[in-house]
Amino acid sequence: MKMITAIIKPFKLDDVREALTDLGITGMTLEEVKGFGRQKGHTELYRGAEYVIDFVPKFKLQVAVNNNLVDVVCEAIAKAANTTKIGDGKIFVSELEQVIRIRTGEQGEAAL
Amino acid sequence: MKMITAIIKPFKLDDVREALTDLGITGMTLEEVKGFGRQKGHTELYRGAEYVIDFVPKFKLQVAVNNNLVDVVCEAIAKAANTTKIGDGKIFVSELEQVIRIRTGEQGEAAL
Amino acid sequence: MKMITAIIKPFKLDDVREALTDLGITGMTLEEVKGFGRQKGHTELYRGAEYVIDFVPKFKLQVAVNNNLVDVVCEAIAKAANTTKIGDGKIFVSELEQVIRIRTGEQGEAAL
Amino acid sequence: MLGLSNLRRVLLAVSFFLFPSFGVADELSGANTAWILTATALVLFMTIPGLSLFYAGLVRSKNVLSVLMQCFTLTCLMSILWFVVGYTIAFGSAEEQGPFIGDFGNVLFAAMGVDSLNGDIPAVLFAAFQMTFAVITPALIVGAFAERMKFSAMLLFSSAWLLLVYSPVCHWVWGGGWLAEMGFLDFAGGSVVHITAAVAALVAALVIGNRRGFPGTPMMPHNMTMTVTGAGMLWVGWFGFNAGSALAANGSAAMALLVTHISAAAGSLAWMACEWIRHGKPSVLGIVTGMVAGLGTITPASGSVGPAAALVIGLCAGTICFFATLFLKQRLKIDDSLDVFPVHGVGGILGTLLVGVFCATDLGVFSGLGFGGDNGSIGAQVQVQLIGIVATFSYTAVVSWLLLKLVDKVLGLRVSEDQETEGLDIVLHEERGYDIR
Amino acid sequence: MLGLSNLRRVLLAVSFFLFPSFGVADELSGANTAWILTATALVLFMTIPGLSLFYAGLVRSKNVLSVLMQCFTLTCLMSILWFVVGYTIAFGSAEEQGPFIGDFGNVLFAAMGVDSLNGDIPAVLFAAFQMTFAVITPALIVGAFAERMKFSAMLLFSSAWLLLVYSPVCHWVWGGGWLAEMGFLDFAGGSVVHITAAVAALVAALVIGNRRGFPGTPMMPHNMTMTVTGAGMLWVGWFGFNAGSALAANGSAAMALLVTHISAAAGSLAWMACEWIRHGKPSVLGIVTGMVAGLGTITPASGSVGPAAALVIGLCAGTICFFATLFLKQRLKIDDSLDVFPVHGVGGILGTLLVGVFCATDLGVFSGLGFGGDNGSIGAQVQVQLIGIVATFSYTAVVSWLLLKLVDKVLGLRVSEDQETEGLDIVLHEERGYDIR
Amino acid sequence: MLGLSNLRRVLLAVSFFLFPSFGVADELSGANTAWILTATALVLFMTIPGLSLFYAGLVRSKNVLSVLMQCFTLTCLMSILWFVVGYTIAFGSAEEQGPFIGDFGNVLFAAMGVDSLNGDIPAVLFAAFQMTFAVITPALIVGAFAERMKFSAMLLFSSAWLLLVYSPVCHWVWGGGWLAEMGFLDFAGGSVVHITAAVAALVAALVIGNRRGFPGTPMMPHNMTMTVTGAGMLWVGWFGFNAGSALAANGSAAMALLVTHISAAAGSLAWMACEWIRHGKPSVLGIVTGMVAGLGTITPASGSVGPAAALVIGLCAGTICFFATLFLKQRLKIDDSLDVFPVHGVGGILGTLLVGVFCATDLGVFSGLGFGGDNGSIGAQVQVQLIGIVATFSYTAVVSWLLLKLVDKVLGLRVSEDQETEGLDIVLHEERGYDIR
Ligand SMILES: Nc1ncnc2c1ncn2[C@@H]1O[C@H](COP(=O)(O)OP(=O)(O)O)[C@@H](O)[C@H]1O
Ligand SMILES: Nc1ncnc2c1ncn2[C@@H]1O[C@H](COP(=O)(O)OP(=O)(O)O)[C@@H](O)[C@H]1O
Ligand SMILES: Nc1ncnc2c1ncn2[C@@H]1O[C@H](COP(=O)(O)OP(=O)(O)O)[C@@H](O)[C@H]1O
């Protein structure tokens, strides 16, 4: 199994979630994060004190999937989250050794 | 070493934390996340505008452990977080190559 | 590629970010988390109801890097985040199988 | 001298029964002054922080400051414009006033000194009290175009609107103008404030268009506690608005306070009941919206009706505005973002009509305090009320539309799509609402 | 006519020294009207937004709206009930009033017109001012059962309670009832408001039971800034509550304002000192709680004592309520969630007792303004005060208990365990307090 | 008797034109009492919740409660100190008053009863109204040393400062002291309140030193909505501050209210314009800061100028305080954390000067209401104003500096570095501002 972690633009969440459920994905976990990258942040100015905010709000979406789904899921996310503008984000894939569903104790692919 | 990542119901945090400290675990990291899964979210209604909220609040707890502890830790979490209701969450296990304690520079298991 | 995950003290973020950009790192992702460890939390007292807060605010910084950068990056973080006091945090390193840049579809090291 | 005469005419025409002896009131009444000083503070309190919190809580957090900024800046800018020329357009300076606008003798309050009276209160106090009305009316419109209008365009539009819509209509009704002459009843601003603001809001929502993603994307209130806080402040401040409009600390003011309170309570409960029945659960946003409906609806009637009528008016307000809101949003799919028209507009119209009924003195426990002007029957009064509603509605609609089109030409009404996505706080003001860790 | 007579009786019995000439006050006093209009706004301000913010900040964020909703809905519902029948139960309509309840001549305020007077202020103003008291009293109880009571059950209980507890007790003390006859001193509601609300709160906490997880699970205030904001509003509004209870803008009102302020300050500092000494650190929740203690305690005394006595009263209030809170929570482990009883109840009792001492005129710098009724010594006055305390305490306890049991039968008092875990905002109102990104 | 005489002297010296008949005002005026009761509530409202929210929103969330705590505790402690001895230092008790401080006859308000008058309002009301000024002045200083001062040190410093700086200066200007004798004009506290507070703030910022990380580290306001809310409250409350300072409900109060409002609006717009031009975007923090500048600046002038002059004063205030803020922060790099000096100090000085010009009665539309004392020309009046500014500035600077050094010796002024990093809320008060999920 793999854990797919996507950093996306917040307002793209609905599109991505839809793309995933269209693929039959029924579970995922979302976090609010801040990203630093090529996309510029913004300046804030308070009574003459100027602060450059480098970290821009992003969503981090994690989906654990069977190996055979990795490519389609990555593709689906990449497509749904794309705006062709800098800052669209990244997808990270890493190995997942074990998954357990707490409620039932099921393990491995059955737990996804 | 392994990284154990558990998605649990927020009000189960105290139970899980206790179960882990009972095992002698002295460190862990917690995040507030939102989960999408079989557990239904809720509806919100504002002056006739109805929004279905699919993402429900969860806690994500990460514990880095020695390989020999993986099973007991997973079991302990699974037991403490279980309510037998949908949405109890999942435990993910993945490989951890290196751990460094910033304060001392210790590495590997010594850093846990 | 590796994913380097550092748990640091919040007020050390600027130092760490600088240390990383000095190394030429151009991207990273930040989360607000709560840490449980040797560092004591604090007590809160509300009209005679006393609560011990074990979880202290931390930042979690994730940087995906090429294998050859792992050591320098870890060192740089460890140095910048160090205050020699308990609670300085940890650095976790794990394997990253794939990275995709959403905007361009680039994969692997090119996507970093 | 001093804008006194025109007020007198209004009082004479509109609510002569309240001031049986105003003709001789050439001495300052300390008591009335004390109350109108307070009422002025209360009406200012309605806009900042009241209305601005009420509105700001309802938008997404990326736009919270833009709403607060709009309300605050309007408070400042409308005050200055009112001082410079708005007041004199509405109330003029001479004994005799024309039917459509005042005269220009009170530019910069030139005809008022520290000792000048208007009725039995200081002339500058009357002008300041009215200033707070001239502030809140344009601020109400903000709800319609929230989260997408350019700040500069908003300022330009509001400025022109104050002088070309609010001030003249204010003259018609309170400045001794043609509606006042007809015995049109509008004690505290059902038409002058609520209809004008709400019609402008509706037109603005149509001209500027829906927010990106409306109605599909969830656009939840980002801070309901802020909205409820603002609602409480609005209720409290409304005592100044309505009971202050008596311009005296007397039975009329007390009755206005009472009916205001009862209508607010009844409107709230009615909306709550509608929601509970129709959606299964009552919501706090529902009940506070019902409150605004109840308050807006009683406003024109607050000097003319009794408490039992206020109960009826409030119940009607809550129910009718509830369905109007659903209709506008779900059927017409118009993004009047914070529901200005269905609440203030429908409420203002409803109240302006109902006062024509419940001002009658022969309705038993529902009796009111009498007809306006020479009107001698419910029929006659209702007819006058209808004329007033149609006139203020259509005049406002036409002029607001023209102004918006003009401003769009000159400055552009709306921020770009990307800016709208990013949020107005950063884009227009380089600030963020919250940085809570 | 007009509920005037019964008020007169109260004034006569309770605070005759304040109104030496009220017997001839058959003309409207604009000054007094101006102040009571303001005071009415201030007391409403205490409930919304004041108390509702104070309370709402103290609960967990998943229940914040439920608290705001309860306070807001009570404001509406109690107002209407008061208008319909509560007022006339408390104050009646005729000159002579019975000892236990008023008459039914003022149902729907039937016996009041725009020109009716009560003393020298409009009768409807007196009724509206009292309405704001009838609103805040049930709202105080909310703190006891916060985070677990059904909304519908809360509405039913509060409605019955207003009519069966608050209105009669109000009659006893302020409506010319039996306690008034005895010269019982309660200027602004130590017994009528604070004891009744707090006893009902204690009973409610016992009947409904502790919150899930109490006392083990941390249940921290989710927004202390909200609580402190509400506290500031309460302090300001309390000027209307206490100084408004003079029903006039005179020396008595001014003195009431002053002693209110001093007691609030002293109560705050006393609580802060207790905390600092006992726990090592002063907290802002502590100091604002001390403020409420100081305010609640001075309330019955605010028309009868001088500023030096207020200092003593405030210091006692802060200290004693501090230990009462610890005792209830840590020893008795009763989950009176927002500490209504130890603060308002203990404070109300304390103040109602102490006024019996400090109203005496021969205590040097601690002298007060005189005994009530025919009482001629501290001993006699304290005895009357004790009778009043015991009577209001036990009557409230019994009736509240019965009502709660009844409501539990009819609707069920409490939400399910799962609902309590999820939070009342979503479960009961389909809304969330915050959506801040 | 009763502090009446000294007030009379002030009124005589400072604003004799306002009260042409005060010499015979030995009867209570209900109307004036009604207004000053209200004004007292409004000025309290300025500090809690007004100023405390304004300030608390500007700090980082880890220190939010410490600021609220400081403002709240000062409200309590300064009130008690004022009651005990501060008032009598400022206003004394006897007919004749010395030039520097009052007498000690009014310790614990000993010389005031419920029937005592001060002018035509209750003596205790005048004392309570002034108490709210004695509360807000030390609270203003809090902005300078926010986020790093020890709570205990703050209490000790403020207590001493109230008695050794505020009370004497108050005597000089309002208590019949030497500045009053010279016809120094300060209607509502340009020098007594704003200059003293701001100079103390500047000295405190210098003595205690910059916050860790200033100016490099971002120290953003953690809750701008809180600050804007507080700003609105300040504006509303300021009506009580300035128009209340007329001590009457008359034309003077009304004019004070009007000019206060206009200057606030003009100051806001001026600051906004400066920001818009200089930084490209107007901000809500900018506009509310301009409001404070406009309000602080009109304060000394609010009893002496007309509305057109207020417009000029407000525009100057917004512009000059804007540049003063930049200068202090960017050039001098002084961490007066919430910009107390450049806004209140510069504004207070500016207003105290400008009143010397705009009080003149022969400036056409910019005419004011007359000179102070025997001053017969703008030159003479400005000279007196300058003397007052220099005197209050230097006296405050010296005594504040001494007190701070002393407190530093006794208790230490500042928390440790680690504590500053962790935040004062947890470290000093064991609480957190927010626990929102
Ligand atoms: N090396 C990295 N490690 C972790 N996260 C990264 C890395 N590089 C980029 N990110 C994340 O991806 C987001 C988008 O990256 P950015 O460089 O702004 O644009 P793009 O992905 O279009 O090149 C960043 O905001 C950050 O959250
Ligand atoms: N495939 C997945 N990848 C990542 N997180 C998941 C996945 N499936 C479920 N989750 C997380 O687990 C939580 C619980 O899942 P859910 O399907 O609601 O119930 P259960 O675990 O009892 O089957 C979800 O809210 C989500 O946070
Ligand atoms: N085993 C672990 N798994 C995950 N996170 C850990 C673990 N141990 C520590 N942490 C994280 O590291 C932070 C610092 O650890 P702590 O024991 O307080 O100090 P130190 O790192 O100096 O030994 C903790 O707050 C927690 O977030």
Side-chain angles (χ1 to χ4, degrees), chain B residues 11 42-46 85, chain E residues 218 418 421 426 430-432:
Chain B
F11 71 96
H42 60 267
T43 298
E44 296 179 20
L45 189 62
Y46 298 96
K85 296 211 184 93
Chain E
D418 278 2
T421 299
I426 288 297
E430 264 178 8
E431 295 169 300
R432 262 173 317 136

Side-chain angles (χ1 to χ4, degrees), chain D residues 306-326:
Chain D
L311 188 62
V312 177
I313 289 174
L315 293 172
C316 294
T319 314
I320 294 174
C321 295
F322 173 79
F323 286 104
T325 303
L326 292 193

Side-chain angles (χ1 to χ4, degrees), chain A residues 7 33-40 56 58 85-90 92, chain C residues 3 25-30 62-65 101-104 111-112:
Chain A
I7 312 288
V33 300
K34 310 248 169 183
F36 179 93
R38 281 179 190 75
Q39 184 191 0
K40 287 286 135 281
V56 297
K58 300 278 172 194
K85 295 213 184 92
I86 283 183
D88 277 351
K90 307 236 184 306
F92 303 111
Chain C
M3 179 61 87
I25 303 285
T26 57
M28 61 194 98
T29 300
L30 178 75
Q62 292 198 297
V63 204
V65 296
R101 167 171 289 127
I102 291 173
R103 172 167 47 97
T104 58
L112 286 179

Side-chain angles (χ1 to χ4, degrees), chain B residues 47 49 51, chain D residues 58-60 141-149 200-217 219 325 327-342 414 420:
Chain B
R47 286 185 186 159
Y51 305 122
Chain D
L58 294 174
V59 299
R60 288 163 292 175
I141 309 173
V142 162
F145 50 66
E147 309 202 89
R148 57 203 185 283
M149 195 173 191
L202 184 62
V203 172
L206 289 169
V207 172
I208 200 169
N210 297 352
R211 283 170 294 178
R212 284 195 76 184
F214 178 90
T217 315
M219 296 179 180
T325 303
F327 185 73
L328 213 81
K329 195 176 298 180
Q330 298 182 344
R331 288 292 163 84
L332 303 186
K333 302 216 187 300
I334 296 174
D335 188 16
D336 173 359
S337 308
L338 312 184
D339 304 306
V340 183
F341 186 79
R414 195 164 173 157
E420 195 178 335

Side-chain angles (χ1 to χ4, degrees), chain F residues 17-29:
Chain F
F17 52 87
L18 301 175
F19 306 96
S21 60
F22 73 90
V24 298
D26 285 324
E27 240 181 57
L28 181 119
S29 159

Side-chain angles (χ1 to χ4, degrees), chain A residues 11 42-46 85, chain D residues 218 418 421 426 430-432:
Chain A
F11 71 96
H42 61 268
T43 299
E44 295 180 19
L45 189 62
Y46 298 96
K85 295 213 184 92
Chain D
D418 278 2
T421 299
I426 289 297
E430 262 176 12
E431 295 170 301
R432 262 173 317 136

Side-chain angles (χ1 to χ4, degrees), chain C residues 11 14 34 40-46 50 53 85, chain F residues 65 212 217-218 418 421-422 426 429-433:
Chain C
F11 71 96
D14 284 335
K34 310 247 172 185
K40 289 285 136 282
H42 61 267
T43 298
E44 295 180 20
L45 188 62
Y46 298 97
E50 195 171 335
I53 309 300
K85 297 214 184 91
Chain F
L65 296 185
R212 284 195 77 184
T217 315
D418 278 3
T421 299
E422 187 167 357
I426 289 297
H429 308 297
E430 265 177 8
E431 296 169 299
R432 261 173 318 136

